Amino acid sequence: MYRTEFVVLLIMLSSIPLAVADENLTYTEQQEILDAHNKYRAQVNVTPLSWSDELAAQARKCAEYNAAEFLPGGRQKHCPTPGSGQNMAQATSNLKMSLNQLVDRWGEEKKYFINGEFPSVSSTGSPEAVGHYTQVIWSNTTQVGCARVNASGNDLLVCDYTPKGSVYGEWVYSLPRPPVARIRDTNEFKALRNDFTGNPQRKILLEAVPSRPVACYSISPV
């Protein structure tokens, strides 16, 4: 009887999907993720992200939750945290995708991206088509922390961000202002107005009105 129960218990245990989560990504892996993010941020001239261990621990809880509850069915579910943004990238384990390649899945959305006020930022008309990419390059975001998990033949990368990106009513990033040159230094006519006492910033061409025949003017009554 006991042997039968033991065999049944073994069968039950073997049917539970095993999940392997990285307790802590190594420094090299963290840097790989940062570099993968920051190459996209550099392309739009926004400041690079820094690593957050706190966000990484937050992401790890979500990754482990997904490994237990959703990856066995080939699905994933976000774990919203107030004030934080989140990206997820899932791939079958047999693809053996690197961390950089998983981040590139979000970067691939840039082909649909149009900079502007979120959510009007996609050429498809749907912000979901670029939502991962906008979080990657969101100019107000300063930190990222990530975790990776493997379960049921699936790899899952979870990255949390702060401050949160993809915020409705805000611009993804601001375009840099063009350099401003003083008209005084660029005005080709500046030598012609040495005696002019008006606004020194205007382009003034003295005596620019051409001479016209006297017949063109009306005679003032005496």
Side-chain angles (χ1 to χ4, degrees), residues 192 203-213 216-217:
L192 300 177
K203 284 188 175 182
I204 301 297
L205 179 59
L206 298 182
E207 300 177 356
V209 179
S211 299
R212 288 181 288 179
C216 294
Y217 299 91

Side-chain angles (χ1 to χ4, degrees), residues 18 30-31 48 71-72 103 111 119-120 125 147 155 168 171 192:
L18 297 178
Q30 293 174 11
Q31 197 60 47
L71 286 183
V103 174
K111 61 187 175 184
S120 301
D155 290 329
Y168 276 62
W171 277 68
L192 300 177

Side-chain angles (χ1 to χ4, degrees), residues 89-166:
Q90 181 180 338
T92 56
S93 300
N94 63 329
L95 293 177
K96 300 185 184 301
M97 297 187 72
S98 67
L99 293 167
N100 181 75
Q101 289 173 320
L102 289 170
V103 174
D104 279 344
R105 285 200 160 184
W106 305 327
E108 289 170 359
E109 296 175 357
K110 66 179 289 186
K111 61 187 175 184
Y112 303 118
F113 173 71
I114 302 172
N115 187 37
E117 186 178 292
F118 196 87
S120 301
V121 292
S122 173
S123 62
T124 68
S126 172
E128 285 78 13
V130 296
H132 299 97
Y133 175 69
T134 55
Q135 175 60 90
V136 169
I137 65 168
W138 197 265
S139 62
N140 289 337
T141 298
T142 58
Q143 292 186 308
V144 64
C146 306
R148 178 180 55 189
V149 68
N150 173 272
S152 305
N154 291 285
D155 290 329
L156 179 68
L157 176 66
V158 180
C159 287
D160 280 18
Y161 307 82
T162 189
K164 178 182 178 179
S166 301

Side-chain angles (χ1 to χ4, degrees), residues 182-193 201-205:
R182 290 174 61 86
I183 296 178
R184 180 192 299 277
D185 300 327
T186 60
N187 187 0
E188 59 184 303
F189 302 121
K190 64 181 179 180
L192 300 177
R193 51 187 175 86
Q201 297 301 318
R202 290 182 177 177
K203 284 188 175 182
I204 301 297
L205 179 59

